[in-house]
Amino acid sequence: MKFSDFLFPASMDRARDHGEIHVFPRDGRGTSFTADRTGRARACVLAGLAAAALAAAQGAGAQGYPSRTVRLVVPWAAGGSTDSIGRILAQKLTEYTGQQWIVDNRGGATGTIGHAFAAKAAPDGYTLLLGTNSTFAIAPHLYRNLQYDNDRAFAPVSLVAISPQILSVHPSLPVRSVKELVALARARPGAIPFSTAGVGATSHMATELLMNMAGIRMTHVPYKGGGPSAQALISGETALSFVDVITASPQAQAGRLRPIATSTAARTPLMPELPTIAESGLPGFESVTSFGLFAPAGTAQEIVSRVNREVARALGAADVRDRLRAQGIDPAGTAPGELVAHQKRETEKWGKVIREQGIRFE
């Protein structure tokens, strides 16, 4: 089946949960009640003692952290950018802390299944989440019954990395620039099918932003992940997609797809000849995939601070930076507050696009 047939794959069922685990070897709520004054006084004393005991226990746990295996939840299937970043980090953090860090892939529903799973984990620092802006900034605008409130369910740890997306077309589509694409889409509204990693994925939102700014309409064909979406473009099932640099570069060299622009504000070092969408006729366009590390709300600040320091150290290591940059991923490693600010900007930006484009998750 080719994109010109206007027949979409029958396999576009909703994503399901997965439980793939990759291991890297190493070298209290009280009961409410009513009472008289004496009872209330006694209750206050007991509550104070309980709070003090909890704080002491958390402090003791933080001092020896980590003392056992740490699980890093990746809300996507194995093989994508988030999984790759998670594995690279887990390997380095195992080396630094002397304890195993494992990657727990829990894909499905555009990352929201794994995100919800991590939200319910114990706030002890032994289950952390490597989320993306599709789960912590975009999903809240799309899902009416989202199983988590990111602001309340998580404590921010660090903005880990940012990755560009490459606007690519199938070689049979007669366009070689953004201007030519816009002209064709205006002449043939809805005739160009584009593939994405799923409803609300950053590849989807980047295309929606493109259509919003250019005043064009194309047809959305969602898949269950970036790999299947890219394969649909390469095989000719769809005509256009935003793909990772690590996919776009070799496939372009093999003549299987044609990159026409990058989604970032500046050109990517791995494909410096490729113009940005902003400089190709749509000034102000910018879309990235961002990766943030979170801990369940209530995690001791000492543990959050320790993880933040170790992650910054890992992302500053030459071998880690080289491995990430070889995939077109820009390592960050920020203070928790910078992740909060980034999340706020992304949430406001994509909320506006979703409202203006009338996107609904069915």
Side-chain angles (χ1 to χ4, degrees):
M1 179 185 63
K2 303 299 181 182
F3 68 82
S4 57
D5 296 333
F6 296 99
L7 296 176
F8 299 152
S11 60
M12 297 175 197
D13 52 309
R14 294 183 180 176
R16 296 168 298 186
D17 191 11
H18 299 282
E20 306 163 58
I21 296 180
H22 302 273
V23 179
F24 294 92
R26 59 174 173 126
D27 73 93
R29 294 183 179 178
T31 302
S32 60
F33 60 91
T34 59
D36 56 17
R37 289 183 181 177
T38 301
R40 286 197 297 270
R42 184 180 295 112
C44 289
V45 171
L46 290 174
L49 290 173
L54 178 61
Q58 288 182 328
Q63 288 179 2
Y65 177 86
S67 60
R68 54 186 171 87
T69 298
V70 180
R71 171 169 28 187
L72 184 58
V73 175
V74 169
W76 300 91
S81 295
T82 317
D83 177 64
S84 179
I85 294 170
R87 291 199 229 181
I88 292 171
L89 265 184
Q91 189 173 23
K92 203 64 173 177
L93 292 172
T94 294
E95 174 188 332
Y96 283 169
T97 66
Q99 295 292 337
Q100 283 186 345
W101 288 64
I102 65 171
V103 171
D104 185 356
N105 295 91
R106 291 184 176 263
T110 320
T112 58
I113 289 176
H115 208 102
F117 171 82
K120 299 172 184 176
D124 55 11
Y126 290 96
T127 298
L128 303 173
L129 170 73
L130 183 60
T132 66
N133 47 347
S134 62
T135 55
F136 64 70
I138 296 170
H141 295 289
L142 290 175
Y143 291 81
R144 295 177 181 176
N145 298 309
L146 197 62
Q147 298 300 304
Y148 59 88
D149 180 333
N150 202 84
D151 292 334
R152 296 182 179 181
F154 293 99
V157 178
S158 176
L159 179 61
V160 173
I162 290 176
S163 176
Q165 302 160 302
I166 306 301
L167 176 58
S168 304
V169 299
H170 189 266
S172 62
L173 194 71
V175 301
R176 294 183 175 276
S177 68
V178 172
K179 289 183 179 180
E180 291 180 358
L181 171 63
V182 170
L184 180 63
R186 285 176 177 168
R188 300 170 58 191
I192 301 175
F194 66 94
S195 54
T196 74
V199 176
T202 49
S203 54
H204 175 208
M205 300 314 300
T207 315
E208 293 287 354
L209 180 61
L210 174 67
M211 292 191 294
N212 181 278
M213 295 182 67
I216 58 176
R217 181 167 57 86
M218 299 184 288
T219 300
H220 185 202
V221 185
Y223 287 81
K224 296 191 294 183
S229 174
Q231 186 56 44
L233 173 63
I234 293 166
S235 67
E237 293 178 9
T238 59
L240 176 149
S241 187
F242 278 89
V243 299
D244 295 335
V245 176
I246 195 65
T247 299
S249 183
Q251 295 298 334
Q253 292 174 10
R256 299 189 184 98
L257 57 76
R258 181 186 302 132
I260 60 175
T262 181
S263 68
T264 43
R267 297 191 181 198
T268 173
L270 287 186
M271 303 180 75
E273 74 289 350
L274 202 62
T276 67
I277 295 175
E279 67 181 286
S280 301
L282 294 176
F285 184 100
E286 182 178 12
S287 176
V288 299
T289 301
S290 52
F291 309 86
L293 186 65
F294 298 87
T299 301
Q301 184 57 48
E302 293 87 348
I303 291 178
V304 172
S305 297
R306 171 75 192 278
V307 175
N308 177 272
R309 289 194 302 271
E310 295 297 351
V311 167
R313 180 185 173 198
L315 292 172
D319 58 333
V320 170
R321 298 182 76 83
D322 289 345
R323 292 175 67 185
L324 292 177
R325 285 174 172 164
Q327 299 179 44
I329 299 169
D330 186 20
T334 70
E338 293 183 51
L339 174 56
V340 172
H342 174 79
Q343 179 183 339
K344 184 175 184 295
R345 290 192 300 271
E346 289 288 289
T347 300
E348 292 174 351
K349 172 181 180 175
W350 295 119
K352 181 175 182 292
V353 172
I354 289 168
R355 289 191 299 272
E356 292 180 351
Q357 292 294 96
I359 305 169
R360 295 289 185 270
F361 180 77
E362 302 296 339

